[in-house]
């Protein structure tokens, strides 16, 4: 292919993805405002249990329906995967949405939760928009375009030393509680500190923004991380190979970290 034609095609793809990001940013803010309104009157919400320590409310369902309505209007040929509504398969580009990540915090009035939108194409995370409406923080990235927080560039820390590191850890009853306890012990005994803040999507966003040096969870679903994976990558972080074909329906384990901490953490927290 002639170089000029290739360049033109690359720039058409870049324009398309930039346009998608603008829409995703507007929609994630709109869904965040809707969820924030429910957060302020959460005592009116009826909370249902989907499983052990796994909750859902009208706020989650409405946030997801709003995002689905906006995305299917703007991109009628795209597929859509939402935590609450499942997969609506159409074209090869798939919007992946967690309408409220950190629901356990949300229903208790703990101001650490977010709305996450990711775009997956050909088993690659190509766009992410994560909005924390309480803090009014929007973390965003497209593949090849850098990562931002409220429009300003962000970068992972340069941390290379485990004894100065502080990572986010996640846990749900989809994984083995004993294994998680051993993981906590292993990293503490190595001199690495951890936080368990209750939102995987914000764990990735905080790693990208240099607030944490990494994030680890033995099992996490695609909707929790589809937005964050590209934000971490574009902020210079390293991730385990999350997006296998099975990860769409089954989730996967996930380690993200600064480049200098990835291998030492991988040795402490082996995948299998
Ligand atoms: C959960 C949160 C939590 C993580 C779990 C997720 P939800 O999502 O991200 O931090 O540890 O794996 O399921 O239920 O709040 O959307
Ligand atoms: Ca989630
Ligand atoms: Ca959720």
């Amino acid at each position: 292919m002639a170089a000029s034609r290739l360049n033109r095609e690359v720039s058409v793809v870049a324009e398309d993805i930039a346009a998608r990001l603008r829409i995703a940013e507007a929609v994630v803010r709109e869904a965040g405002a809707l969820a924030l309104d429910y957060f302020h009157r959460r005592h009116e919400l009826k909370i249902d249990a989907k499983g052990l320590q796994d909750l859902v409310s009208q706020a989650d369902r409405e946030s997801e329906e709003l995002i689905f309505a906006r995305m299917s209007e703007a991109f009628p040929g795209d597929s859509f995967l939402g935590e609450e509504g499942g997969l609506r398969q159409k074209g090869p580009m798939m919007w992946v949405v967690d309408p409220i990540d950190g629901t356990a915090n949300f229903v208790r009035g703990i101001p650490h939760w977010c709305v996450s939108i990711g775009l997956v194409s050909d088993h690659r995370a190509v766009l992410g928009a994560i909005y924390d409406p309480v803090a009014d923080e929007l973390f965003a990235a497209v593949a090849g375009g850098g990562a931002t927080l409220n429009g300003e560039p962000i970068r992972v820390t340069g941390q290379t030393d485990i004894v100065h590191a502080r990572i986010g850890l996640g846990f749900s009853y989809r994984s083995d509680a004993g294994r998680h306890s051993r993981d906590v012990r292993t990293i503490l005994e190595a001199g690495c500190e951890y936080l368990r803040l209750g939102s995987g999507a914000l764990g990735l966003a905080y790693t990208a923004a240099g607030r944490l040096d990494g994030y680890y969870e033995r099992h996490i679903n695609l909707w929790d991380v589809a937005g964050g994976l590209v934000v971490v990558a574009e902020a210079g972080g390293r991730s385990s190979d999350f997006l296998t074909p099975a990860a769409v329906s089954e989730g996967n384990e996930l380690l993200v970290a600064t480049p200098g901490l990835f291998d030492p953490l991988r040795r402490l927290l082996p995948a299998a």
Side-chain angles (χ1 to χ4, degrees), residues 60 83-84 98-101 103:
D60 302 74
E83 175 174 9
E84 311 306 338
D98 193 331
I100 295 178
D101 186 60
T103 296

Side-chain angles (χ1 to χ4, degrees), residues 21-22 24-26 28-29 111-118 127-142 146-156 197 199-212 225-232 234-235:
L21 179 64
R22 281 194 294 279
E25 286 180 339
V28 83
R29 280 185 181 280
H112 189 79
W113 53 272
C114 64
V115 180
S116 173
I117 299 180
L127 176 159
I130 297 170
Y131 184 52
D132 171 348
V134 177
D136 188 24
E137 289 188 327
L138 176 60
F139 304 85
V142 293
T148 58
L149 164 52
N150 289 346
E152 298 297 323
I154 50 174
R155 197 89 204 136
V156 296
L197 294 172
S199 162
L202 285 178
L204 300 193
Y206 278 25
T207 300
R211 296 174 183 172
L212 295 171
V225 301
L229 286 172
V230 63
V231 178
V232 168
E234 288 298 318

Side-chain angles (χ1 to χ4, degrees), residues 215-233:
Y215 183 84
Y216 183 68
E217 188 153 345
R218 285 241 163 242
H219 178 271
I220 195 155
N221 283 308
L222 179 57
W223 45 80
D224 301 307
V225 301
L229 286 172
V230 63
V231 178
V232 168

